[in-house]
Amino acid sequence: MMSSAARIASRHRPRRIPNDHHSRRLLSSTASSADTDNNISNPHYPHMFAPLDLGPHIGSLPNRVIMGSMHTGLEGHSIPKFMLPFLNAEDDHTDLNEMACYFGERAKGGVGLMVTGGVSPNRQGWVGPFAGKLTTETERDRHKVVTDMVHSIRIPTYSPNNVDATEPGRICLQILHTGRYAYHPFAVSASSTKSPISPFPAKELSTSDVKGTIRDFVNCAVLAKEAGYDGVEIMGSEGYLINQFLVSKTNHRNDEYGGENFGNRMRLAVEIVNETRKACGLDFIIIFRLSMLDLVNDGSSWEEITALAQALEDVGVTIINTGIGWHEARIPTISTSVPRGAFSFVTKKLRDEKIVSVPLCATNRINAPSTVESILANGSADLISMARPFLADPDIVKKSREGKDEEINTCIACNQACLDHAFIGKTASCLVNPRACHETEISIEPNSVTPDEKLNIGLVGSGPAGMAFAHTAATIGHHVTLFEKSDEIGGQFNMAKRVPGKEEFHETIRYFKVQLEKLRKEGKLDMQLGTEISYSEMERRSSGDGADKIDKWIIATGVDPRMPNIPGGDHPNVLSYIDVLRNKAKVGHKVAVIGAGGIGFDVSEYLLHNDDADDHDKKADEIDVDEFLDNWGVDKSNSERAGLLPEEGVKMTKSHREIILMQRKKGKLGKGLGKTTGWIHRSTLVRSKCVEMIPEVSYDKIDENGHLHITIGKGDKKSTRVLDVDNIVMCAGQISKRDLQEAAVNSGGDLAGKVFTIGGAYEAGELDAKRAIDMGTRLALRIKDDDIVPGKHAFHADIGAEEKLYDAMMKLIR
């Protein structure tokens, strides 16, 4: 193999002729793309549904979509059996039947190839204590239920010879060694370092340990093949072990796997792929997740990335997948604030240079078929990896194929139920689809309630909880009458969608509108918008035997903003967050925001970027990618090492206001925000240099000029300030709107036992759409049961053994 130095030195040479194996792959790939111009291509998304031939030994993928790897908690664990009783978990995950059902649903949804969540090749590589690994024949056999399920499903494809052509469902196992990201005391890495996202320092692997790790990767791949997997994805990006060997930031070795010579630093990656190909044969898919944009100091240069890509092709990789950013990078890469397809430029750069012929896969924040088609059509990639969108809607590919875009339940990239769960050992789910990863627990079968079980249900309110309840209850066969005092459904999502970085919330409202309208046309749902129902009307509708009699009531009326009792709080300069976000009140240049929870941060970000002269609410596909990359210092040419611009090259968008954000509590503002996204919200405000954050504040009064008088701190360290501001916005929490439920209880009649609150009306807290949608869905499935009574109608997902173990470990650490 050509040395790294030689490759880098000769990077401007003419494109080399690929070997015969890859020539056939390149030619068949091109032929498949050409089919988009004739009558056998998909009429809606011809590039997305063009087959891709991976060569004579592997065959064709039916479309260009890969379901990317996600940590779900369904991958199993390696907790010793004797420990399980002590954990007292509701679901011990000792078999992989739930994982099989999860992937089975997505295969039925038509995706061409799927990749599992990360499974470790040895104990040191565990994500956390006793996490999933594949090292033994016993563990191998547990996976067969997954591969059998996937292979039993046929995926439709486009063939010039057969209009009913199909390909088998395919699935690869991701081999993930976390290295210094391991959340356990046995962490190892290229050198003795400690990551900023784990409390455990990593021990340096000896040379013999490195060679042993290579053998462990190969053993894992062989066991995966024996278990029936069609291939493996070798995780070489996101800052995990292989990535740690590639860069001088974490590789300080002086042996054959380190040093200044990049050929040495990439040796681990190349030898793993080479030995895996030898052991598993040519009929086995090997995907390598290559970090093309590290986004951390001392990351890889573009020359090093291309050298590694060429070396991987030389040793037989099938597909190169794009990795973007280390987990410790301080640049958002997958959150909802990242524009759609923002990082596809880096895959396009490698593809345009024509230095490798294997298919290249674009990733990150691709959640809509229009984005998939655009990236493929402009030549940025051969394949598209989507991960979280398959949590939101397992049928996203099928619906795209049929041109039913409006029926797709779009991923809003919130991370609240997927990544935030994964990092605390909790089984993943999805904010907009609580069935995700809980397919065996939550079954929503159309028309499944019997005539004797069917109820006429009155639903008051159509926020996230109300929409979810209406959709589920009507789908399974109940009749729902929805009363909504507004002229549109969506509740507080109609405010959230206006916040910069939350434009995807438009899509959730669109999805539910479409679904509820379908149910209305089927006669299962009666929608009465612009209708505020009174308790007396509820009583009338609950009595008698008329056709409009309501059997049970669901109260999903949401919350009202809590207005703190501050002297002068009735001044006209004082606004609530509803005034700002829903009613579009005009706000001055200098603003005080009281309350630094999620709403306070959202309002602050809205005010920073909102221009009163432009009242247009942007949607997700209108967000400027270049502006985002400029704001966060990403080098669009990828000529700077790790893709990071020097500080002087960062171009921040000009802010429209100056903001003072305050909280009563001591400590860092935003501490309670999302585990994987909170830092983004804090960083956005800090980097604007137009937001002052003040903790431990007492609000003394608002004077006649609308200025806010505050006291900061306590005791000898306290000080006072008068904030000369144009407006004061209250974001000090919420109060549940339970008037109808309380009236039913106070009446003492039979109706009290027929009124159930959900969502914010049940529990205010922060505006928790995840809990609201989950609660509405679960209650809809059980509302027919006689043992479901008000006060005992809130249900939750089963708690897994991994979550119990994580909690126990965190108690020990603390």
Side-chain angles (χ1 to χ4, degrees), residues 705-722:
N705 297 313
H707 299 162
L708 178 61
H709 296 242
I710 63 173
T711 299
I712 305 169
K714 291 181 172 37
D716 296 339
K717 296 183 179 179
K718 73 178 181 181
S719 61
T720 60
R721 279 178 65 178
V722 178

Side-chain angles (χ1 to χ4, degrees), residues 286-302:
I286 300 178
I287 307 169
F288 188 89
R289 184 89 179 238
L290 172 61
S291 185
M292 298 190 198
L293 204 66
D294 286 334
L295 301 178
V296 292
N297 290 327
D298 300 321
S300 294
S301 69
W302 184 249

Side-chain angles (χ1 to χ4, degrees), residues 423-498:
F423 280 100
I424 59 171
K426 191 171 185 176
T427 303
S429 184
C430 177
L431 183 147
V432 300
N433 176 28
R435 280 199 72 238
C437 304
H438 298 277
E439 287 77 13
T440 61
E441 181 185 343
I442 301 177
S443 177
I444 304 175
E445 292 294 330
N447 305 313
S448 56
V449 296
T450 67
D452 290 340
E453 295 171 330
K454 181 178 178 178
L455 300 173
N456 286 326
I457 300 171
L459 169 62
V460 186
S462 63
M467 293 189 296
F469 181 93
H471 181 214
T472 303
T475 296
I476 64 176
H478 297 298
H479 185 273
V480 178
T481 302
L482 169 61
F483 302 93
E484 169 55 60
K485 73 175 183 179
S486 172
D487 59 0
E488 62 181 353
I489 68 168
Q492 303 221 19
F493 263 34
N494 287 303
M495 292 187 290
K497 71 186 184 184
R498 304 196 71 213

Side-chain angles (χ1 to χ4, degrees), residues 132-339:
K133 66 180 180 69
L134 181 54
T135 63
T136 69
E137 292 179 354
T138 300
E139 290 166 339
R140 173 199 66 191
D141 293 344
R142 290 170 61 198
H143 281 266
K144 290 180 180 178
V145 66
V146 178
T147 57
D148 286 347
M149 171 69 81
V150 172
H151 293 155
S152 71
I153 297 162
R154 304 292 298 187
I155 314 296
T157 188
Y158 286 90
S159 168
N161 303 316
N162 182 0
V163 293
D164 297 317
T166 61
E167 294 284 349
R170 286 190 176 95
I171 185 167
C172 293
L173 179 99
Q174 186 188 76
I175 306 178
L176 168 68
H177 192 304
T178 52
R180 73 179 198 150
Y181 282 172
Y183 224 79
H184 58 74
F186 312 114
V188 295
S189 184
S191 299
S192 296
T193 59
K194 180 180 175 300
S195 89
I197 62 173
S198 171
F200 301 99
K203 172 189 171 186
E204 179 176 319
L205 287 165
S206 68
T207 303
S208 62
D209 288 337
V210 174
K211 295 183 184 298
T213 300
I214 295 169
R215 291 192 295 271
D216 291 340
F217 268 87
V218 176
N219 177 61
C220 186
V222 169
L223 290 171
K225 184 173 184 178
E226 292 174 352
Y229 284 102
D230 300 282
V232 293
E233 178 176 68
I234 295 168
M235 182 45 133
S237 64
E238 267 70 16
Y240 291 114
L241 179 73
I242 294 175
N243 213 169
Q244 292 161 25
F245 270 81
L246 290 171
V247 300
S248 59
K249 172 185 177 68
T250 45
N251 187 339
H252 312 145
R253 306 172 68 91
N254 55 17
D255 65 358
E256 61 192 284
Y257 294 98
E260 293 298 316
N261 185 335
F262 181 67
N264 285 347
R265 298 204 304 275
M266 75 176 187
R267 190 182 305 278
L268 174 67
V270 175
E271 288 186 356
I272 287 172
V273 173
N274 187 37
E275 296 303 317
T276 299
R277 176 58 72 202
K278 288 179 182 177
C280 295
L282 296 176
D283 61 344
F284 194 66
I285 297 170
I286 300 178
I287 307 169
F288 188 89
R289 184 89 179 238
L290 172 61
S291 185
M292 298 190 198
L293 204 66
D294 286 334
L295 301 178
V296 292
N297 290 327
D298 300 321
S300 294
S301 69
W302 184 249
E303 290 82 0
E304 292 168 348
I305 292 164
T306 56
L308 177 55
Q310 290 176 311
L312 292 170
E313 180 175 46
D314 286 344
V315 294
V317 76
T318 314
I319 296 167
I320 294 178
N321 197 1
T322 304
I324 303 292
W326 287 35
H327 284 313
E328 64 199 72
R330 295 292 89 181
I331 294 172
T333 57
I334 61 170
S335 72
T336 191
S337 60
V338 179

Side-chain angles (χ1 to χ4, degrees), residues 581-641:
L581 293 177
R582 179 188 292 164
N583 302 330
K584 301 183 180 182
K586 298 298 181 184
V587 180
H589 177 72
K590 194 164 185 178
V591 187
V593 176
I594 293 178
I599 300 169
F601 271 82
D602 278 353
V603 167
S604 297
E605 190 157 354
Y606 171 79
L607 292 173
L608 273 182
H609 298 100
N610 172 255
D611 182 358
D612 286 338
D614 181 8
D615 201 31
H616 171 65
D617 289 345
K618 287 184 179 179
K619 293 190 176 180
D621 54 6
E622 298 178 82
I623 306 305
D624 190 321
V625 172
D626 288 337
E627 182 180 8
F628 167 82
L629 297 174
D630 287 341
N631 281 346
W632 287 95
V634 179
D635 176 16
K636 290 172 284 189
S637 69
N638 212 6
S639 55
E640 297 286 343
R641 183 172 284 276

